[in-house]
Amino acid sequence: MNNIVSLKWLLARLYETDLVIVDCRFQLGKPDFGREAYEASHIAGAVYLDLEKDLSAPIDEHGGRHPLPDITDLTIALSKVGISNETRVVAYDDQGGAYASRLWWLLKYLGHEQVFVLDEGFTAWQNAGFPVNAEQKTLVPARYLATVQHNMLIEMDEVKEKLGAEHITLIDSRDGARYRGEVEPLDRIAGHIPGAINRLWSEGKGEDGKWKSADEQAARFEDLPKDQETIVYCGSGVTACPNVLALQEAGFTKVRLYAGSWSDWISYEENPIAVGEE
């Protein structure tokens, strides 16, 4: 797998100087949870980046619940924790890889090649007896220059233009009940973008909590054409990222993230909404 590294892979490279390990733990509705968890205990040498303070912009009228961060602000945040263009980055969380995948996607979007998500996450690392501590790493700032990959992103108006087009696959990464509009715990309107199919992001992991292999990911998406554009969204653009990663592992090359996702889509009153199965 190209984007996932194992616990043992990281253990073998833990103290290499060109490696930055980023703790991305976070919990919706508990904004201080991740930082407090990090300060209590983290993988030895890890730094912390916060989903809402570092990896998102402030909420506005449009853009969804976790708008993409301003590029300049993001490069400053990366530079502060010692990430340069040459750094190998390993991101982890304890939430199935959702938040680590957000950092993975953002770095890929900035043109960064050497970025990986740690398989299984923090608890598995700790349970394996691998090094954890509460020490704050002395941060040596680096210089980060972004080369933005605009083709990885799609905005609301372009999604809307493409509704109903035959050469597009639109994937909703939320659970089935939210997709069908039966429940909506987070957003003010339930349903999905018309024409979207449902592929729950967490099905990219096996029952053992590990990411599925490239072949298993390919099997998840075997009914979808690899050669056409695939657009992925979720509620706020976060849990779509593990699906983007899984699609890449499965060999899809034309994958774009609708970062504003459902919470952005419904901020435009004129946008159409679908409920039930497609």
Side-chain angles (χ1 to χ4, degrees), residues 13 66 88 166 257:
R13 294 161 180 79
H66 292 109
R88 286 179 300 163
E166 284 182 9
L257 175 70

Side-chain angles (χ1 to χ4, degrees), residues 85 92-93 115 118 158:
N85 295 72
Y92 74 88
D93 58 34
V115 54
L118 181 65
E158 197 182 345

Side-chain angles (χ1 to χ4, degrees), residues 8 22 49 99 103 117 172 180 201 210 223 229 251 265:
K8 286 183 176 172
V22 184
L49 288 175
Y99 303 115
L103 177 60
V117 172
D172 185 314
R180 293 186 297 271
W201 71 273
K210 291 183 181 179
D223 56 329
E229 187 174 60
W265 183 260

Side-chain angles (χ1 to χ4, degrees), residues 190-209:
H192 61 263
I193 299 173
I197 60 169
N198 188 211
R199 290 286 193 283
L200 178 60
W201 71 273
S202 57
E203 287 171 356
K205 315 283 293 282
E207 285 179 16
D208 57 0

